[in-house]
Amino acid sequence: MTTIIDVARLAGVSKTTVSRVINNYPHISPDKKEQVLKAMEQLGFTPNPSARRLRGQLATTIAVVVPKIVNPFFSYLVDAIEQVGYRSGYQTLICQTNEDKEKELSYLNLLKTKQADGIIMTSIENDWAQIEPYTEFGPIVLCNEYINKTDVPMIRVDQYQGTYIGVKHLIERGHRKIAYCTGGLFTEFGKDKDRNQGYQKALEEAGIPVNPSWILVDKHTIEDGKRVMQLLMEMKDRPTAVFAGSDEIAGGLMMAAKKAGLRIPDDLAIIGFDDQPIAEVLDPGLTTIRQPIAQMGKKAGEILLAMLNEPCPSPAVYELPVELVVREST
Amino acid sequence: MTTIIDVARLAGVSKTTVSRVINNYPHISPDKKEQVLKAMEQLGFTPNPSARRLRGQLATTIAVVVPKIVNPFFSYLVDAIEQVGYRSGYQTLICQTNEDKEKELSYLNLLKTKQADGIIMTSIENDWAQIEPYTEFGPIVLCNEYINKTDVPMIRVDQYQGTYIGVKHLIERGHRKIAYCTGGLFTEFGKDKDRNQGYQKALEEAGIPVNPSWILVDKHTIEDGKRVMQLLMEMKDRPTAVFAGSDEIAGGLMMAAKKAGLRIPDDLAIIGFDDQPIAEVLDPGLTTIRQPIAQMGKKAGEILLAMLNEPCPSPAVYELPVELVVREST
DNA sequence: AAAATGATTGAAACTGGTTTCAATATTTGC
DNA sequence: GCAAATATTGAAACCAGTTTCAATCATTTT
């Protein structure tokens, strides 16, 4: 490794001067500056970030916590964040928790140890009380997931509204027996809670009672969707429509439904959530709730970068709009 | 930040001793060791990785270079690598090049500056001559992409064989007019070159001449697939089957074909590459060439970790098998 | 022309750990 | 019971940068 001292020696100056050139300090004579630059060029010198970081001078890494990168929702989110970061010279560290609490905490330690200068969390496994202490070490921004606090910036969509307009759309199409797939049912606050309320509110407004056996929790993947469809087929009183918590679940549902000879949307209407690429490619095209993923990621990245520059802009909640995309599955 | 000195003071020992405890050195009296551990616990101390790295003692980060994380092929690859790394205590840095040469080089600099201890490249934008010098700073493993060298470890599938069996399958189904979508046509060596040769060889063996207007280059996405289908529709002499370079292209092809009223596979047979989740969910189910993505990632991770431990195991090429998955689109 | 101001520069201290080296304490061998 | 070997410990040097402080030099003010 070539160090700042090698450069200093070659340029015939002290390492202090080299450091000043690296950091664009004023008051360096043009000729020395040029000598230093030439020496750096000649030696192919790159400053050692560990050393700079140690002195508290460097901030170039942001971390994004996701449950699973293979979930397209999160890969698109990461994509957007990474692009914002890169434009400002930041590297993006991807932290996949696999929904493991300990893994999440181990990633939060990146903040404490200055390996990451800020963190964007797109999911939360631990209680906020566990996570909150880490805000002391650097900014944390929530994106997608949200909690019942006002002192942390959040970028979210109106999940309540998303489910509400989706279920309402099904009701308007004449459905009264509407099943519902969700991640979790019994959360205190946050995404799943709001979605559940949207579902219930839409039913309630139409005077439809909730049928608990049509509510299916802990569903996320295509495989989950297939299994749910099998469950539904075995029911005596079958729903005529399903609100799926993600386009992937919807895809699995659709596959299994078609395999069982059901026509979509005539025998069974399906609506998804997210508007991922898969939604368009399914046959029939999947009606779904579009989340502005790229904008969410972009906004989250921008907020985090802003917090890294000015210490404390007032943390705010940014709520982006969801949108019903009607295709052929409803 | 609490430092090693705070711990030393509280435990009533020197920082040397604390360091020894952290690193599990032998020859520390049990009582002092316990005092130190207690002090560390009490202060919530975490060693500063920048400082450890600076002294050349720490290796905890591997970087994965991908063109686009939103491409499921790469997100599954990253997923597999990340899991192997995490189990050995490594963090995974995701580097998205967006097919930008400069961005790729900027990520290779992570090695030079010891921000990453090793790199797995799943794509290559620059010439190897540009990249090769970086191997001086740490191990580089190629996974998926490959080059004409023997001194760098590569994990690859037999791309030639993949295309060959796919095209042969189409021929066996009676097709003689077979279009072909690919990333690049005129590469010197590597993935695309081998795929092209598999295509040509299969045609040649069946005595079918190559029709250049049926070869479509620089195709990657669903949108590309749709556009290709439009091109094909406008042709006077239309192919009866298409070999797509990825399942996503195939998905786009299928969408557009169905929209144009073609029946699949009767009017047009389609075969994909990868066997991503989308392949299964398409209707009709997509016949495709399965790549063992998870195994590739796992192997690449293991090789890299091995190289980080023993300096120089003989670099080898690992070729994993591809497999034809026949569904209903052919 | 002397004093005051500001630009330019480098020596040394500092960041938070690890490693070397030497000193001291303890155990083992005979 | 004494020499040799081994265990335990800390002071100081080191990693590669940044920052503080003071010294020198040039320029402007009075």
Side-chain angles (χ1 to χ4, degrees), chain B residues 173-330:
Chain B
R173 288 282 207 251
H175 295 279
R176 296 186 61 83
K177 296 156 81 171
I178 301 172
Y180 173 63
C181 299
T182 178
L185 191 58
F186 305 110
T187 48
E188 283 288 305
F189 189 90
K191 215 177 82 171
D192 289 329
K193 177 77 179 283
D194 285 358
R195 286 196 181 183
N196 299 341
Q197 289 190 334
Y199 170 68
Q200 295 193 357
K201 180 69 176 175
L203 291 185
E204 190 185 299
E205 280 184 10
I208 303 172
V210 173
N211 180 340
S213 59
W214 290 340
I215 297 182
L216 302 131
V217 298
D218 204 21
K219 304 306 173 201
H220 297 97
T221 64
I222 293 177
E223 287 306 312
D224 287 338
K226 290 195 218 168
R227 277 191 290 267
V228 166
M229 196 63 230
Q230 287 189 314
L231 278 179
L232 296 182
M233 293 300 290
E234 287 163 7
M235 289 183 181
K236 277 180 207 131
D237 188 17
R238 266 193 236 161
T240 62
V242 188
F243 184 101
S246 75
D247 290 346
E248 288 153 298
I249 304 172
L253 285 168
M254 194 181 281
M255 268 188 79
K258 287 196 289 191
K259 202 169 189 175
L262 296 183
R263 288 163 308 153
I264 294 168
D266 301 332
D267 298 331
L268 184 76
I270 299 177
I271 184 168
F273 210 113
D274 290 348
D275 198 26
Q276 293 174 9
I278 192 183
E280 192 197 14
V281 126
L282 287 169
D283 185 14
L286 183 67
T287 295
T288 190
I289 311 297
R290 174 178 296 163
Q291 297 204 62
I293 305 182
Q295 281 146 265
M296 290 170 70
K298 184 159 177 278
K299 190 77 189 168
E302 287 168 354
I303 302 278
L304 187 67
L305 293 184
M307 291 175 78
L308 288 171
N309 294 329
E310 329 153 35
C312 280
S314 59
V317 175
Y318 296 85
E319 193 165 81
L320 300 174
V322 290
E323 186 188 347
L324 176 67
V325 179
V326 180
R327 295 200 179 86
E328 298 84 42
S329 70
T330 55

Side-chain angles (χ1 to χ4, degrees), chain A residues 30-296:
Chain A
D31 57 332
K32 296 227 167 177
K33 183 165 184 172
E34 200 189 331
Q35 283 168 48
V36 171
L37 288 173
K38 205 178 288 176
M40 281 172 34
E41 169 83 10
Q42 192 176 326
L43 295 171
F45 169 76
T46 316
N48 181 322
S50 292
R52 305 180 79 181
R53 215 186 294 269
L54 189 54
R55 202 63 175 80
Q57 200 30 244
L58 190 71
T60 51
T61 307
I62 59 182
V64 183
V65 175
V66 297
K68 281 188 179 298
I69 190 68
V70 298
N71 180 323
F73 177 82
F74 294 105
S75 69
Y76 276 87
L77 213 46
V78 167
D79 178 44
I81 294 168
E82 193 269 350
Q83 299 207 24
V84 173
Y86 184 75
R87 253 177 254 128
S88 298
Y90 282 78
Q91 261 129 22
T92 302
L93 201 55
I94 295 195
C95 307
Q96 179 167 254
T97 64
N98 261 311
E99 293 161 19
D100 179 326
K101 290 188 182 193
E102 280 200 42
K103 214 168 165 187
E104 179 173 272
L105 291 178
S106 85
Y107 283 129
L108 285 166
N109 254 312
L110 295 174
L111 259 192
K112 195 168 166 185
T113 58
K114 293 283 171 238
Q115 293 196 104
D117 305 293
I119 289 189
I120 295 175
M121 301 189 73
T122 68
S123 65
I124 296 186
E125 304 303 333
N126 291 276
D127 291 337
W128 181 248
Q130 297 278 310
I131 297 171
E132 199 277 333
Y134 288 91
T135 57
E136 185 197 333
F137 305 112
I140 296 180
V141 171
L142 300 185
C143 177
N144 175 50
E145 196 66 69
Y146 51 90
I147 53 161
N148 192 10
K149 292 276 174 185
T150 54
D151 54 355
V152 49
M154 295 183 257
I155 291 83
R156 42 170 282 186
V157 302
D158 190 342
Q159 304 278 352
Y160 169 88
Q161 178 72 2
T163 324
Y164 176 79
I165 58 176
V167 175
K168 197 166 173 198
H169 168 74
L170 291 172
I171 293 169
E172 282 165 4
R173 289 282 207 251
H175 296 280
R176 297 187 61 83
K177 295 157 82 172
I178 301 172
Y180 173 62
C181 299
T182 178
L185 192 58
F186 305 109
T187 48
E188 283 289 305
F189 189 90
K191 216 177 82 171
D192 290 328
K193 177 78 178 284
D194 285 359
R195 286 196 182 184
N196 299 341
Q197 289 190 334
Y199 170 69
Q200 294 192 357
K201 179 70 175 174
L203 291 186
E204 189 184 301
E205 280 184 11
I208 303 173
V210 172
N211 180 339
S213 60
W214 289 341
I215 297 184
L216 302 131
V217 299
D218 204 21
K219 305 305 174 204
H220 298 97
T221 64
I222 292 177
E223 286 306 312
D224 288 337
K226 288 197 222 167
R227 277 191 289 267
V228 166
M229 197 61 229
Q230 287 191 311
L231 278 178
L232 296 181
M233 294 300 290
E234 288 163 8
M235 291 183 180
K236 277 179 207 134
D237 188 16
R238 264 193 238 162
T240 61
V242 188
F243 184 100
S246 76
D247 290 346
E248 289 154 297
I249 304 173
L253 286 168
M254 194 181 282
M255 268 188 81
K258 287 197 288 191
K259 203 168 188 176
L262 297 182
R263 288 164 307 153
I264 294 169
D266 300 331
D267 299 330
L268 183 76
I270 299 176
I271 184 168
F273 210 112
D274 289 350
D275 198 25
Q276 292 175 10
I278 191 183
E280 192 197 14
V281 126
L282 287 169
D283 185 13
L286 183 68
T287 296
T288 190
I289 311 297
R290 175 179 296 163
Q291 297 204 62
I293 306 182
Q295 281 146 265
M296 290 170 70

Side-chain angles (χ1 to χ4, degrees), chain A residues 4 15 19 23 25 52 55 57:
Chain A
I4 200 174
K15 63 182 193 157
S19 174
N23 293 286
Y25 274 47
R52 305 180 79 181
R55 202 63 175 80
Q57 200 30 244

Side-chain angles (χ1 to χ4, degrees), chain B residues 4 15 19 23 25 57:
Chain B
I4 201 174
K15 62 179 194 162
S19 174
N23 293 285
Y25 273 46
Q57 199 31 242

